[in-house]
Amino acid sequence: MARSDSFGRLRRGRGPANPAISPCHKLWIHMAVIFLVISSWIPLTAAISLDHSPRSTETSLLIDTQIPVLVDGHWQIMSQDEHRRLVRREQSTQTFTIDVSTATGTADTTSTVATGPLPTPFDGALGANFSGDDAAGGSCLNFINNFLDDPTFKSCYPLSLLLKGSKSFFDAMRAPAQITQVIEKSCEADKSSCTDYLNNLAEQLKSDDNCGQDYQQQNQVVVQAYKGMKAYEELFGAGCLQNPSTGAYCFVSAVTNQTTSSNVYLYNLPLNSTLPPSALPACDDCTSETMKIYQSASADRSKYISNTYVQAATQINSECGPNFVSEALPEALPDSAAISTVQAPSLLMLSLLFATILQWVR
């Protein structure tokens, strides 16, 4: 028996094409879909907000084109142009602080022991402005002073926190014996336990109870402290690296050798500073082995070195040959890419579910 539909057309032996849905039911279904979408996005948003990648705090990489130069027994930071003018002006009269009172025709193999206190991080730099009441417990300044006095921190003696903001460390670079003593002390630490300690300390630093507000405001001391803590492991490896040919620490050679002063910039790469375009590190074992340490560390994409490695490697290879160091980042560690790998399928499932429900409601 034929029956007519709502438009007067005959339909043979079939009921309505779709079950009738009242406006009230449609409203409830739409509300349910909206609730489902919101509830699905909440954990994704939370996951993204928990990613404390240091790269999110940087809008651009810093390019420092200045170089350290020894002038009249004092290290000075100057531009490339200033250095060239200095060399032209003093090339015939340039002097170095060298003790020649016991000089002989052969090399003196007796080691020199440096005396005096070791350099400390942020000496003279804590007069910077900090937010909040510095006298209150848990304030940023108190937190920094407390970890500087912590015996565990002192036993780790991180080179990564001396490279920036330590006047005494800058002064120590004038004397090979003194800077060698600094590196030896740093290399006595247990790398594994100190890495864990400083990573944990970095998270405490960013806590709202300590220096969170100052970190968000990009306070220079706080940001330097955070970078140094997060870069401890790779700078421990690079700082303790020794030249297989001479047995000398590569870092000591870099800061005391005027002819290869560009190698100094290699130790700023883990602190998110790029290699200046004019810098030409030496094509030697120290450079290649240092870059191997950095490439391995860059597998953790949350590390600053993953930002700066490729550019530096490309620049080094342009001087030393195409295969001197690897220009590619290694495969990312699972933890450092967790959000990107989990987020995509979750969003796909959510989109398919949303489209299916909308099609059914229609």
Side-chain angles (χ1 to χ4, degrees):
M1 177 178 177
R3 62 183 70 178
S4 61
D5 59 17
S6 59
F7 293 95
R9 295 191 292 265
L10 292 178
R11 305 176 68 252
R12 194 178 293 274
R14 289 186 293 178
N18 291 301
I21 300 178
S22 69
C24 181
H25 287 167
K26 284 188 176 183
L27 176 62
W28 279 104
I29 291 174
H30 281 98
M31 292 178 63
V33 171
I34 293 173
F35 175 79
L36 178 61
V37 171
I38 294 175
S39 62
S40 299
W41 272 104
I42 288 175
L44 292 175
T45 304
I48 294 172
S49 66
L50 290 175
D51 176 26
H52 294 295
S53 172
R55 290 173 290 174
S56 63
T57 65
E58 300 277 341
T59 57
S60 61
L61 298 179
L62 301 176
I63 300 179
D64 185 358
T65 60
Q66 299 181 103
I67 60 173
V69 178
L70 189 65
V71 180
D72 295 331
H74 299 277
W75 283 97
Q76 296 183 16
I77 295 295
M78 58 179 62
S79 68
Q80 298 280 353
D81 289 339
E82 290 173 331
H83 182 233
R84 283 192 290 269
R85 288 196 297 268
L86 178 67
V87 170
R88 286 197 298 268
R89 187 172 66 248
E90 300 184 355
Q91 59 182 352
S92 61
T93 59
Q94 188 174 10
T95 59
F96 298 91
T97 305
I98 301 175
D99 184 4
V100 296
S101 60
T102 58
T104 63
T106 59
D108 183 5
T109 59
T110 304
S111 60
T112 304
V113 179
T115 60
L118 290 170
T120 57
F122 310 121
D123 50 350
L126 295 183
N129 293 327
F130 291 92
S131 62
D133 181 7
D134 290 340
S139 71
C140 185
L141 183 57
N142 282 344
F143 176 78
I144 294 175
N145 284 325
N146 286 339
F147 79 67
L148 290 176
D149 290 334
D150 186 353
T152 303
F153 180 85
K154 291 181 178 181
S155 67
C156 291
Y157 198 58
L159 172 66
S160 56
L161 271 82
L162 291 169
L163 289 172
K164 300 283 188 178
S166 174
K167 182 181 182 301
S168 54
F169 179 76
F170 193 73
D171 292 338
M173 291 194 298
R174 292 182 296 173
Q178 190 173 3
I179 194 62
T180 299
Q181 184 187 35
V182 171
I183 298 301
E184 288 176 343
K185 174 62 177 177
S186 179
C187 296
E188 290 175 359
D190 183 287
K191 182 179 73 170
S192 178
S193 62
C194 286
T195 297
D196 293 340
Y197 167 77
L198 287 164
N199 281 333
N200 180 60
L201 195 63
E203 296 309 311
Q204 293 182 45
L205 180 79
K206 291 175 61 177
S207 168
D208 290 338
D209 294 332
N210 297 315
C211 297
Q213 183 176 348
D214 293 280
Y215 181 82
Q216 293 299 326
Q217 294 175 353
Q218 294 294 285
N219 178 289
Q220 185 177 11
V221 172
V222 175
V223 172
Q224 286 178 358
Y226 180 82
K227 289 179 178 180
M229 292 170 185
K230 299 297 289 186
Y232 169 79
E233 185 174 18
E234 51 269 33
L235 278 172
F236 178 96
C240 299
L241 188 65
Q242 293 176 282
N243 189 320
S245 301
T246 64
Y249 287 107
C250 292
F251 180 84
V252 174
S253 298
V255 300
T256 58
N257 191 338
Q258 290 275 319
T259 60
T260 58
S261 59
S262 290
N263 280 46
V264 173
Y265 292 112
L266 295 178
Y267 301 95
N268 287 329
L269 295 177
L271 302 174
N272 210 30
S273 292
T274 56
L275 200 63
S278 59
L280 299 174
C283 303
D284 58 12
D285 290 334
C286 284
T287 297
S288 61
E289 293 303 313
T290 297
M291 293 300 286
K292 286 179 182 178
I293 293 172
Y294 290 167
Q295 189 205 27
S296 177
S298 67
D300 183 348
R301 297 295 195 263
S302 69
K303 286 183 173 292
Y304 290 111
I305 189 62
S306 66
N307 294 340
T308 60
Y309 177 82
V310 172
Q311 179 265 345
T314 303
Q315 187 168 326
I316 290 170
N317 281 349
S318 68
E319 175 70 13
C320 301
N323 299 315
F324 185 72
V325 297
S326 173
E327 296 182 14
L329 294 180
E331 183 178 355
L333 294 176
D335 289 346
S336 65
I339 290 181
S340 61
T341 56
V342 173
Q343 187 175 343
S346 300
L347 291 176
L348 177 62
M349 293 299 295
L350 177 62
S351 301
L352 291 175
L353 179 61
F354 182 70
T356 302
I357 295 176
L358 283 181
Q359 184 66 28
W360 179 68
V361 170
R362 293 175 185 173

